[in-house]
């Protein structure tokens, strides 16, 4: 089966909705690579999955492990190219806003590694931000990911033979923040290295935030195009 052509008029979906359309996680084993604060891990565990969130070191897992525990949710140290799972042990592998953070040299090996840990018929779901839209226009001042996002997409379009592409869909999601402080705090929490660059661009980002925000019920909203790609383990 060839990948579906992205829809001409993207729908607006949350991450949870985008995942629910393509995977049923209840009773299944799921790996969330680059799990960040573990919010998705806990959500999927709440749906009845056994979920392991992966990050590269203990420091990256601090926020996730500090959250209220959820039955079925756990965390482990690993990386995209070296997952701490046995061969054919996993039903679903998820990358949510994390594949483009992999070093370029390990993007392709990470797809091979996902295929290794997936059961036959298991699914790899990759959700990535597109380098476009109001939200990207604000955040790129601190961290312009145009090149790495393009490299990630190029890699995903050339999967290993063990992975069959079955879906490529572009949709919109809405990013919401209380104010500019909320956005900047979030960006630094995701990548602490951004803290040293922030003073040079903070004033510009605050101006862009105010100009681009769409205010709804006291929250600043920004549209962000997203791309969902789904692969099945042959």
């Amino acid at each position: 089966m060839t990948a579906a052509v992205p829809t001409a008029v993207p729908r607006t979906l949350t991450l949870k909705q985008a995942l629910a359309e393509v995977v049923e996680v209840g009773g299944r084993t799921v790996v969330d690579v680059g799990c960040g604060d573990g919010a998705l891990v806990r959500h999927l565990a709440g749906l009845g999955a056994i979920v392991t969130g992966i990050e590269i070191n203990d420091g990256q897992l601090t926020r996730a492990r500090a959250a209220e525990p959820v039955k079925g949710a756990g965390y482990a140290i690993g990386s995209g190219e070296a997952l701490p799972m046995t061969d054919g042990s996993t039903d679903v592998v998820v990358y949510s806003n994390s594949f483009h953070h992999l070093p370029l040299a390990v993007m392709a090996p990470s797809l091979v590694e996902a295929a290794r840990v997936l059961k036959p018929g298991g699914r790899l779901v990759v959700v990535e931000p597109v380098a476009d839209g109001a939200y990207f226009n604000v955040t790129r001042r601190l961290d312009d990911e145009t090149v790495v996002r393009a490299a990630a997409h190029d890699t995903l379009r050339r999967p290993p033979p063990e992975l069959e592409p079955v879906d490529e869909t572009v949709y919109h999601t809405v990013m919401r923040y209380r104010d500019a402080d909320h956005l900047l705090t979030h960006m630094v929490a995701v990548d602490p290295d951004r803290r040293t660059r922030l003073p040079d661009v903070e004033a510009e980002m605050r101006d862009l935030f105010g100009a681009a925000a769409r205010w709804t019920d006291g929250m600043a909203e920004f549209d962000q195009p997203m791309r969902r790609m789904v692969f099945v383990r042959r």
Side-chain angles (χ1 to χ4, degrees), residues 28-187:
R28 296 181 176 176
T29 55
V30 181
V31 176
D32 179 11
V33 187
C35 67
D37 64 5
L40 183 60
V41 172
R42 295 186 293 276
H43 166 70
L44 297 176
L47 297 177
I50 304 299
V51 193
T52 302
I54 302 295
E55 275 292 355
I56 59 174
N57 56 49
D58 279 320
Q60 293 291 89
L61 286 173
T62 299
R63 291 183 298 153
R65 288 175 169 159
E68 186 71 24
V70 175
K71 182 180 179 181
Y75 306 97
I77 296 172
S79 59
E81 75 278 19
L83 297 173
M85 285 80 198
T86 57
D87 295 0
S89 62
T90 304
D91 294 300
V92 181
V93 174
V94 176
Y95 279 86
S96 170
N97 291 280
S98 58
F99 192 83
H100 67 282
H101 288 299
L102 297 173
L104 181 58
V106 305
M107 285 183 180
S110 294
L111 294 181
V112 175
E113 180 71 348
R116 179 188 70 80
V117 305
L118 282 170
K119 300 174 183 178
R123 291 199 160 200
L124 167 65
V125 184
V126 182
V127 177
E128 284 279 287
V130 178
D132 193 14
Y135 183 70
F136 177 70
N137 189 49
V138 176
T139 60
R140 71 186 300 183
R141 268 54 182 180
L142 180 57
D143 198 351
D144 190 343
E145 296 180 335
T146 302
V147 173
V148 294
R149 293 184 189 184
H153 186 219
D154 182 60
T155 301
L156 290 163
R157 294 182 67 183
R158 296 179 287 108
E162 298 87 352
L163 294 175
E164 178 185 4
V166 296
D167 174 78
E168 180 175 349
T169 297
V170 173
Y171 66 93
H172 281 165
T173 197
V174 179
M175 310 299 293
R176 295 181 173 88
Y177 295 94
R178 294 186 300 273
D179 50 30
D181 286 340
H182 187 194
L183 167 64
L184 297 175
T185 299
H186 167 75
M187 291 192 69

Side-chain angles (χ1 to χ4, degrees), residues 14 49 73 91 133-134 145 151 168 197 200 226:
T14 65
D91 294 300
E145 296 180 335
E168 180 175 349
R197 303 193 298 272
D200 292 335
M226 305 294 294

